[in-house]
Amino acid sequence: MVKRILKIAIGLMILAAAGFGIARATRDGKDTEAAFKLVDVTRGTIVDKALATGQIVPLQEIQVKSQISGIVKQCFVEVGERVAEGEPLFAIIPDPTPLELNEVERKVQLAEVTFEKARLDLDRNRSLLGEGIVSKEAFDASQQLYDEARIGLELARERLALTRDGKIKRAQGQSAVDSVIRAPASGTVLQRHVNPGDPVVPLTSYQAGTPLATMADMGTLLFKGTVDEIDVGKLKEGMPVRIKIGALPDATVTGRLTRIAPKATEKEGTTLFDVEASIDAAGGTVLRAGYSANADVVIQEKADVLLVPERLVTFEKEKVFVELPPKDPKGEPEKKEITLGLSDGMNAEVVAGLAEGDKIVQRPPKEIK
């Protein structure tokens, strides 16, 4: 009986040991497998680029202003309309104060008095010249005063007409002056800043004047943005640019870098440089001024090269290594020295040391305790 119990106990111990061994082996295998995963060395395209953030803007915007004061009587255009040079945009009616109107009327009266006196003096000197009483020089002087008085009277009357009526009628062959504001160039109306009834301050040498509208040629758009000072040293005018429009994620817009600012600007503690890029092709996309956009300035691009994730690369004493899977499943990964080329911050080009289809080790992230 004792021998039988002993045999059973020994058998159970053997089974337990075998089960423990199997479990240990299974766990070791799982631990080895979980210790790292393998990543393939692939072939593809890598691009070294600098990111610029900005927006799409017209090459040149024109602000339309008036040279006379008054009230907006009529608006002939709406936002988005395309107009040709010389087309009417706004009609302005004068709105002089009683004092201003009285002043220009008095100036006309003074000019009429001056002109009448100059006319009488000229007629008298003409008669006296014929009798030989006055010299030719005196007659010429009176002729000059008469001409100046005539021009002064015409100017005073034109100012009165412009102040009171907003129009100046001139003789045939002379260009008339009116209060209709016309397009200074062909383009699209981007903004209309006034409506009928709004007051207008004129553009003069000492005041900016009231903006009436903003126009631009939408056929010549460009990208304006900023790049970080870290990247600006790599940039050169003429580099290709790939523009991504935030509102049009599927649009393909390409261009060329045309300007790099020589001086940096500070924004929120960051040193930035302004850049501009012309738009070569929009791929049939309708672009609008003000679209937010990011531009990738292509510094260097290589196609059909070996790539590895840069996070799996280690640097030791100016040498570059990756880890290869161990030959023994229970062993440690083996270090392999490689030579890198171009990098885009995510992937790196492998110049030597690996072949397409090779596998490298990716260790699991370390736990922070």
Side-chain angles (χ1 to χ4, degrees), residues 234-295:
K234 307 174 187 176
L235 304 184
K236 294 181 181 179
E237 293 180 0
M239 285 182 169
V241 175
R242 296 166 185 168
I243 302 170
K244 300 175 182 176
I245 311 295
L248 305 170
D250 299 328
T252 302
V253 182
T254 59
R256 291 277 170 181
L257 193 64
T258 56
R259 189 181 74 88
I260 306 170
K263 183 179 178 180
T265 58
E266 294 277 341
K267 185 176 181 181
E268 299 179 356
T270 305
T271 302
L272 303 171
F273 284 82
D274 293 331
V275 295
E276 293 181 6
S278 62
I279 296 177
D280 297 336
T285 303
V286 177
L287 299 180
R288 302 181 186 276
Y291 270 152
S292 298
N294 293 332

Side-chain angles (χ1 to χ4, degrees), residues 17-289:
F20 178 77
I22 294 171
R24 176 72 179 272
T26 304
R27 186 187 65 188
D28 289 345
K30 288 182 178 180
D31 288 346
T32 301
E33 183 180 352
F36 54 81
K37 62 184 282 188
L38 302 181
V39 176
D40 291 331
V41 177
T42 59
R43 191 172 289 276
T45 300
I46 190 167
V47 182
D48 183 14
K49 58 192 177 184
L51 177 64
T53 59
Q55 59 181 185
I56 304 298
V57 298
L59 177 62
Q60 184 178 13
E61 290 188 2
I62 301 172
Q63 276 201 338
V64 180
K65 296 183 179 181
S66 172
Q67 292 184 330
I68 62 172
S69 62
I71 302 294
V72 178
K73 178 182 179 182
Q74 188 175 359
C75 301
F76 300 106
V77 293
E78 298 292 338
V79 173
E81 289 186 16
R82 179 167 179 80
V83 295
E85 181 179 356
E87 285 190 24
L89 303 178
F90 302 94
I92 309 295
I93 56 174
D95 186 32
T97 64
L99 180 61
E100 290 173 337
L101 186 58
N102 182 69
E103 183 179 355
V104 293
E105 288 176 345
R106 291 294 178 266
K107 286 183 178 180
V108 170
Q109 293 174 358
L110 289 172
E112 288 174 346
V113 171
T114 303
F115 172 75
E116 184 63 20
K117 182 179 182 304
R119 185 184 66 79
L120 292 175
D121 289 345
L122 179 62
D123 290 344
R124 183 174 61 254
N125 286 339
R126 183 180 289 111
S127 299
L128 295 175
L129 178 64
E131 297 175 3
I133 299 176
V134 298
S135 64
K136 182 69 167 57
E137 288 77 9
F139 174 77
D140 291 341
S142 62
Q143 178 71 54
Q144 181 179 353
L145 290 175
Y146 170 81
D147 291 338
E148 291 176 355
R150 177 178 54 79
I151 294 173
L153 178 58
E154 291 176 356
L155 180 61
R157 287 173 174 171
E158 287 177 353
R159 285 178 176 172
L160 176 61
L162 195 59
T163 302
R164 185 175 55 197
D165 305 323
K167 295 181 180 181
I168 298 176
K169 294 181 180 180
R170 288 181 173 172
Q172 187 175 3
Q174 295 180 322
S175 59
V177 177
D178 60 25
S179 55
V180 175
I181 310 302
R182 300 179 182 277
S186 299
T188 301
V189 179
L190 302 183
Q191 289 179 288
R192 201 183 76 186
H193 304 287
V194 294
N195 293 306
D198 289 345
V200 175
V201 175
L203 172 65
T204 64
S205 58
Y206 56 87
Q207 64 185 10
T210 303
L212 305 179
T214 301
M215 295 175 53
D217 182 3
M218 296 300 289
T220 54
L221 296 176
L222 54 83
F223 169 84
K224 277 189 177 182
T226 56
V227 297
D228 194 271
E229 62 176 333
I230 297 175
D231 296 321
V232 74
K234 307 174 187 176
L235 304 184
K236 294 181 181 179
E237 293 180 0
M239 285 182 169
V241 175
R242 296 166 185 168
I243 302 170
K244 300 175 182 176
I245 311 295
L248 305 170
D250 299 328
T252 302
V253 182
T254 59
R256 291 277 170 181
L257 193 64
T258 56
R259 189 181 74 88
I260 306 170
K263 183 179 178 180
T265 58
E266 294 277 341
K267 185 176 181 181
E268 299 179 356
T270 305
T271 302
L272 303 171
F273 284 82
D274 293 331
V275 295
E276 293 181 6
S278 62
I279 296 177
D280 297 336
T285 303
V286 177
L287 299 180
R288 302 181 186 276

